[in-house]
């Protein structure tokens, strides 16, 4: 095999790996025979080694099995053989295309994702040379969508073990405790745009499994404190609403073999006037540091409804008139 990749999947502590792998490691033999990969178990970690397209197929089947076991449902060798046969056939449905200059195909459930402007192309290219990328620009320029697409691609190809998506819940402030419902119900309205992007990248069942296994985490920025994130792809969305202290806290969570993307629109700061936006400060403080790159997107990169660009231009003219008064 050439161009070998590795993918590690953590088996939940509630599952006995010996039971999962079947007697005499039959599961390993099935995966290796059907998909032409290597499968190695160490404790509660299983590692797949092989070509990217084969690993992605193995991941799909293995996570199906984990989902069945978590639901305490039975499956047979025949069920596994059938799933692997279908996965093997799906491996040959299409070949990756050059999307951002490095033979990497970013995919959504609707097909391939391509940069639709020069700014987006530069933004995607930044991932090849930096571990921390700031994407700054107005709404509709694809800042978050492309970052999530990259994160899912890194997860599927085994470059990272998990995705962490976070946002400051500015409007909630200190009043979360007074909102109805449990923790998730309180903060989900502020995190909905991140769920929307993920739902466009992954089938619903796979996304649910990732969330249940915490392979993908979506949480408010305040809950990032105290963590160190190794082998992770971390995205901070709406960073213009993070304070100086919060953004410093977020950036210092980054561990080994991890990437971070910080997206924001400096024209849409919702913080109280008494608080300084950490995104504005970062542009000055971190400029020129090796491994950190800033990508600036403008109204020419807007990929939403054509009227969005006209709306942005109208508001720009209004702001200029207001400044001249």
């Amino acid at each position: 095999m050439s161009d070998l990749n590795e993918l590690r999947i953590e088996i939940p502590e509630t599952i006995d790996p010996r039971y999962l792998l079947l007697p005499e490691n039959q599961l390993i033999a099935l995966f290796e025979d059907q998909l032409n990969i290597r499968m190695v178990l160490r404790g509660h970690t299983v590692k797949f080694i092989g070509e990217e397209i084969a690993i992605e197929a193995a991941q799909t089947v293995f996570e199906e099995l984990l989902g069945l076991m978590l639901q305490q449902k039975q499956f047979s060798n025949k069920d596994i053989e059938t799933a692997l046969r279908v996965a093997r056939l799906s491996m040959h449905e299409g070949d990756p295309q050059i999307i951002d200059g490095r033979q990497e195909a970013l995919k959504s459930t609707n097909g391939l994702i391509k940069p639709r402007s020069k700014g987006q192309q530069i933004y995607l290219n930044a991932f090849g040379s930096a571990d921390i990328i700031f994407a700054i620009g107005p709404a509709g320029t694809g800042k978050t969508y492309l970052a999530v697409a990259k994160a899912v691609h890194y997860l599927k190809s085994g470059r990272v073990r998990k995705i962490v998506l976070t946002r400051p819940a500015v409007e909630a402030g200190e009043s979360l405790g007074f909102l109805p419902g449990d923790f998730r119900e309180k903060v989900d309205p502020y995190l909905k745009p991140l769920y929307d992007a993920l739902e466009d990248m992954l089938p619903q069942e796979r996304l649910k499994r990732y969330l249940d296994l915490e392979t993908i985490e979506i949480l408010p920025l305040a809950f990032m404190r105290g963590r160190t994130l190794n082998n992770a792809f971390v995205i901070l969305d709406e960073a213009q609403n993070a304070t100086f202290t919060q953004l410093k806290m977020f950036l210092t969570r980054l561990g080994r073999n991890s990437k971070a993307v910080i997206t924001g629109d400096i024209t849409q700061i919702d913080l109280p006037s008494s608080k300084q936006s950490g995104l504005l400060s970062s542009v000055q403080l971190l400029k020129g540091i090796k491994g950190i790159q800033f990508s600036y997107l403008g109204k020419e990169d807007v990929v939403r409804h054509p009227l969005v660009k006209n709306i942005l231009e109208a508001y720009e003219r209004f702001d200029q008139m207001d400044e001249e008064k």
Side-chain angles (χ1 to χ4, degrees):
M1 293 181 288
S2 60
D3 296 324
L4 296 183
N5 291 272
E6 291 188 8
L7 170 68
R8 289 180 172 83
I9 297 178
E10 297 297 325
I11 301 172
E13 293 293 331
T14 54
I15 294 178
D16 186 340
R18 294 171 299 177
Y19 180 69
L20 173 65
L21 297 183
L22 305 178
E24 299 179 356
N25 290 333
Q26 294 176 51
L27 187 71
I28 292 179
L30 286 169
F31 269 83
E32 293 186 340
D33 179 61
Q34 294 286 338
L35 300 179
N36 192 29
I37 60 172
R38 282 189 60 211
M39 181 177 175
V40 180
L41 176 70
R42 292 287 185 271
H44 274 72
T45 301
V46 64
K47 180 168 68 173
F48 294 107
I49 306 169
E51 295 181 3
E52 180 178 340
I53 193 169
I55 286 180
E56 185 172 336
Q59 180 182 13
T60 299
V61 177
F62 192 76
E63 287 174 349
E64 290 280 357
L65 299 179
L66 286 179
L68 290 172
M69 293 201 73
L70 287 171
Q71 298 172 45
Q72 297 183 337
K73 293 183 178 179
Q74 299 295 319
F75 54 84
S76 64
N77 284 26
K78 187 175 180 180
D79 294 329
I80 299 171
E81 288 176 8
T82 301
L84 287 169
R85 189 160 53 249
V86 171
R88 190 177 70 244
L89 290 172
S90 70
M91 288 164 53
H92 305 290
E93 289 181 352
D95 298 320
Q97 298 181 14
I98 298 176
I99 300 301
D100 57 346
R102 294 186 306 281
Q103 290 284 350
E104 293 185 341
L106 304 182
K107 300 175 183 177
S108 74
T109 53
N110 297 316
L112 292 174
I113 299 169
K114 301 179 181 180
R116 297 172 62 181
S117 69
K118 184 178 179 180
Q120 287 191 353
Q121 180 76 65
I122 294 171
Y123 175 31
L124 287 174
N125 288 343
F127 288 86
S129 58
D131 286 330
I132 297 177
I133 299 101
F134 285 81
I136 301 172
T141 52
K143 304 184 301 294
T144 303
Y145 190 82
L146 291 175
V148 172
K150 269 292 187 182
V152 171
H153 178 76
Y154 270 58
L155 181 66
K156 285 183 174 181
S157 62
R159 298 187 209 182
V160 297
R161 296 185 188 179
K162 72 183 306 172
I163 297 172
V164 179
L165 309 175
T166 185
R167 255 188 167 203
V170 170
E171 296 87 351
E174 300 297 326
S175 61
L176 280 175
F178 297 97
L179 295 176
D182 60 18
F183 164 75
R184 182 167 288 261
E185 291 171 330
K186 293 175 193 290
V187 301
D188 268 2
Y190 303 98
L191 305 174
K192 186 63 168 65
L194 298 174
Y195 284 104
D196 289 344
L198 282 169
E199 286 169 358
D200 203 28
M201 303 296 163
L202 294 163
Q204 187 174 2
E205 285 302 314
R206 184 185 290 193
L207 175 57
K208 183 178 185 302
R209 286 197 303 274
Y210 280 152
L211 293 170
D212 290 343
L213 294 169
E214 295 189 346
T215 302
I216 295 178
E217 289 187 84
I218 306 177
L219 68 167
L221 180 57
F223 288 79
M224 293 286 289
R225 189 174 299 280
R227 303 185 64 180
T228 299
L229 297 169
N230 296 312
N231 299 297
F233 197 115
V234 194
I235 299 173
L236 170 58
D237 194 34
E238 298 289 344
Q240 76 276 3
N241 290 328
T243 64
F244 180 92
T245 302
Q246 286 177 324
L247 195 48
K248 177 185 175 184
M249 178 271 292
F250 171 81
L251 291 171
T252 53
R253 300 308 92 200
L254 204 63
R256 289 187 294 272
N257 190 40
S258 293
K259 278 193 182 285
V261 182
I262 300 92
T263 72
D265 178 0
I266 56 176
T267 69
Q268 297 290 329
I269 298 173
D270 299 315
L271 289 169
S273 57
S274 59
K275 293 187 177 181
Q276 181 184 12
S277 170
L279 183 59
L280 289 174
S281 305
S282 297
V283 172
Q284 300 299 324
L285 289 173
L286 305 178
K287 186 177 180 181
I289 296 180
K290 188 176 180 180
I292 299 178
Q293 190 157 328
F294 290 84
S295 291
Y296 295 94
L297 299 157
K299 57 181 181 294
E300 65 277 5
D301 300 302
V302 171
V303 293
R304 289 181 180 171
H305 192 287
L307 280 175
V308 173
K309 188 180 297 185
N310 296 335
I311 291 169
L312 289 170
E313 290 174 346
Y315 274 93
E316 283 181 3
R317 289 193 297 270
F318 176 81
D319 289 339
Q320 289 173 0
M321 291 171 59
D322 193 46
E323 289 175 1
E324 292 171 359
K325 290 180 180 179

